[in-house]
Every structure is written in structure tokens, then in C-alpha cells.
Amino acid sequence: MSRFLAFIASRLVIAVPYLWLLVFFLVPFFIVFKISLSQSAIAIPPYLPVFRFNEGIEGLLRGLRELSFENYGWLLDDPLYVNAYLSSLKIAAVSTLLTLLVGYPMAYGMARAPHSLRPVLLMMVILPFWTSFLIRVYAWIGILKPEGLLNQFLFFLGLIDQPLIIHGTTAAVYIGIVYSYLPFMVLPLYATLEKMDYSLVEAAEDLGCTPISAFWKITVPLSLPGIVAGCMLVFIPAVGEFVIPDLLGGSRTLMIGKTLWDEFFANRDWPVSSAVAIILLLILVVPIAYFQRAQARAREEEN
């Protein structure tokens, strides 16, 4: 009896995450995919349903005959959507690189700091999460706008005679993404660097390596799992970011998250917006799969 209960308990432990994925990922995915195959209409909801489950088998067969991928063809033919995807990938990639350049020295400094100081530094990194994401982005509007705090400070120092135009540009989007997602880069890097055996660096320096050479040959390769994890945690949500480009970038910044919002709420074209979301998800599946593979490889190396 005890073996049977243990068997049931082990299967339940495995089934819970799969059930979670089924309810909160696969079911919404297929609902959105079904809408993307339908046609737009002046109705509530604003599309013609493809599968009519209340009509039984006949409704399902009729839905299969009515399936149409015209919305996906429309996205590929319209340069607006293609440019939005490419622009989103570019902005997310550059933002991830900038976040890595800022976050790696921070994580390295935290990992090499005295043990008594590390909890304080870690708390300072996590502290921004205690405030609303929207409020933090709005604060950057007050900093970057022409009459904002940054220009006033530069005027006070006498470094400029005309205000810098940052708000409403792609540079403001980079600043907002780097600031907002910096903890997602720092925390996995810190977790990797904090566990590293720094006696290897000392051994490399004893064998003739300069500190910089030892850093590139020892520290960076050993911290690659943290680099990959941090980059994926920044890049994946940055591709579909909407709030930051809408508030800081304005109308001149083209990203797929803002395009999706316009299609869904302004144009009320749910089928096209669903197709946009499906393609975006398929694009993100590649880095997600790579991230999972890298995590599995790192666990194998630890064992």
C-alpha cells in the first residue's frame, strides 16, 4: 500500500507542472491560434468563429473547411509588420548587450565584495521591484524630457546650451529597457560568480597570466551559464515590450508589442493581432529552447 501511495505521489508531482502548462499556456495558445484563423467582423467579439462547438461534429467539420491562413499571409506581405519584428529583435538584442555590459561589472563587484556587504548590495538590486514598473518608467519621462531633470542638471553644469532630445527616441527605449531589466541580468550573473572558485584565478596569475588575461580565460568562461541565463531573461521579454517604447519611444519607435496593441485595441482586428502574437511566440521559442538546453548542460556539468 505504501508503495502504491508513493507511486501515486510521484506521478502527481510530475503531473502538476504539466497541468499548469496545459491550463495557462497550451489552452490560451490554441484559443489565440483559433482566432488567428478566423475572419474579422463587426460583432462582439469582432471575429467570425471558425469552430462552432455547439453544432457538434458538423460544426467542427465546417470549421476545418473554413480554415484560412490569410492573416499570416497579410503579415508577410505588409512591410509594417516585417519591419516591426526586425526592429523589435534589433532593439532587444542591443538592449541585452548593453544590459550585460552594465550588469556584469555590478555582479562581479557584488561577488567579490565582503560577505557582510553582499546582502546589502543584493537588496539594492532587488529594491526597484518593490515599486510599480509603470511608475518607474514614468519617472524616466521626467528625467529625459527636454525640460527634465537631466537637461536641467547639464544646464547647471554649463555642459550644454540647448536641451538634449532624448525622450521620444530609440535611445530612450534603450535606457528604459536596460534600467528595467538590469536585475534580471545581475541576479543570475551574481549567482554564478558567487559560487566560482577564485583560487583558479590566483593559480592562473601565479603561472604568469596578467589579471586581465586571467579574467578572460578563467572568470568569463566559468560565468557563461550566468551570462546565457541573464541574456535570455532580458532578451525574451524585451522583444515583446510595449510599455517602454510607448511611453519613452513615442510614435517614432517601431516595436511589435506596440503594433500588436494598436491592432487589438485601435483597429479591433483580433484575427490579425492574434496572428501577430502567434508569430511572436514562435520567434521566441528558439531562444527559450536554447536557454533550456544551456541550463540542462550547466546542470550536467555541475553533476
Side-chain angles (χ1 to χ4, degrees):
M1 186 66 179
S2 60
R3 289 185 177 181
F4 176 75
L5 292 177
F7 175 79
I8 296 298
S10 63
R11 291 300 180 269
L12 286 176
V13 170
I14 297 174
V16 168
Y18 283 100
L19 181 63
W20 179 274
L21 288 175
L22 175 65
V23 174
F24 294 102
F25 178 76
L26 291 179
V27 172
F29 172 81
F30 282 113
I31 291 175
V32 174
F33 181 67
K34 181 178 74 72
I35 296 175
S36 70
L37 300 177
S38 62
Q39 299 297 321
S40 179
I42 302 177
I44 299 178
Y47 64 91
L48 299 176
V50 177
F51 297 104
R52 300 170 179 84
F53 296 100
N54 58 341
E55 298 180 7
I57 300 298
E58 182 180 351
L60 293 177
L61 294 177
R62 186 185 302 113
L64 290 174
R65 291 193 298 268
E66 295 175 356
L67 287 180
S68 174
F69 291 88
E70 292 181 1
N71 294 319
Y72 294 93
W74 169 266
L75 297 183
L76 296 177
D77 292 336
D78 193 334
L80 170 65
Y81 301 102
V82 177
N83 293 334
Y85 282 115
L86 295 178
S87 177
S88 297
L89 292 173
K90 174 189 172 184
I91 291 175
V94 174
S95 300
T96 302
L97 178 61
L98 294 175
T99 308
L100 177 62
L101 294 177
V102 175
Y104 198 101
M106 291 178 58
Y108 185 79
M110 292 168 58
R112 298 304 300 269
H115 286 277
S116 59
L117 192 59
R118 292 180 188 177
V120 177
L121 297 175
L122 191 61
M123 179 61 67
M124 293 176 65
V125 173
I126 302 174
L127 196 62
F129 283 110
W130 292 9
T131 59
S132 170
F133 173 76
L134 191 61
I135 292 176
R136 286 185 280 132
V137 176
Y138 266 114
W140 276 104
I141 297 177
I143 296 173
L144 299 177
K145 63 183 181 180
E147 64 277 11
L149 297 176
L150 177 61
N151 280 308
Q152 291 182 11
F153 181 69
L154 295 177
F155 275 125
F156 175 77
L157 296 178
L159 298 178
I160 60 174
D161 54 5
Q162 292 183 351
L164 300 177
I165 306 300
I166 302 177
H167 180 252
T169 65
T170 306
V173 177
Y174 289 139
I175 293 173
I177 293 178
V178 171
Y179 166 76
S180 300
Y181 292 105
L182 185 61
F184 293 102
M185 181 67 74
V186 172
L187 294 178
L189 281 172
Y190 169 75
T192 303
L193 292 170
E194 196 268 339
K195 294 185 297 183
M196 198 183 83
D197 185 4
Y198 288 96
S199 62
L200 298 175
V201 177
E202 296 175 359
E205 293 178 355
D206 291 339
L207 293 174
C209 281
T210 62
I212 296 178
S213 179
F215 173 79
W216 284 109
K217 292 181 179 180
I218 304 297
T219 304
V220 172
L222 291 179
S223 63
L224 277 179
I227 293 175
V228 173
C231 289
M232 292 299 102
L233 290 175
V234 173
F235 178 80
I236 291 171
V239 172
E241 181 59 53
F242 161 71
V243 174
I244 294 174
D246 185 60
L247 295 181
L248 298 182
S251 59
R252 287 178 287 182
T253 301
L254 183 62
M255 291 191 70
I256 198 61
K258 192 171 184 300
T259 304
L260 176 61
W261 174 275
D262 292 337
E263 285 292 344
F264 195 87
F265 290 99
N267 299 336
R268 289 190 59 80
D269 195 339
W270 287 21
V272 170
S273 59
S274 298
V276 171
I278 292 295
I279 293 180
L280 176 61
L281 180 61
L282 294 178
I283 291 174
L284 294 179
V285 162
V286 175
I288 291 173
Y290 177 79
F291 172 68
Q292 292 178 340
R293 184 178 180 182
Q295 292 291 91
R297 189 185 304 115
R299 286 193 294 267
E300 291 176 0
E301 293 177 354
E302 291 178 358
N303 296 332

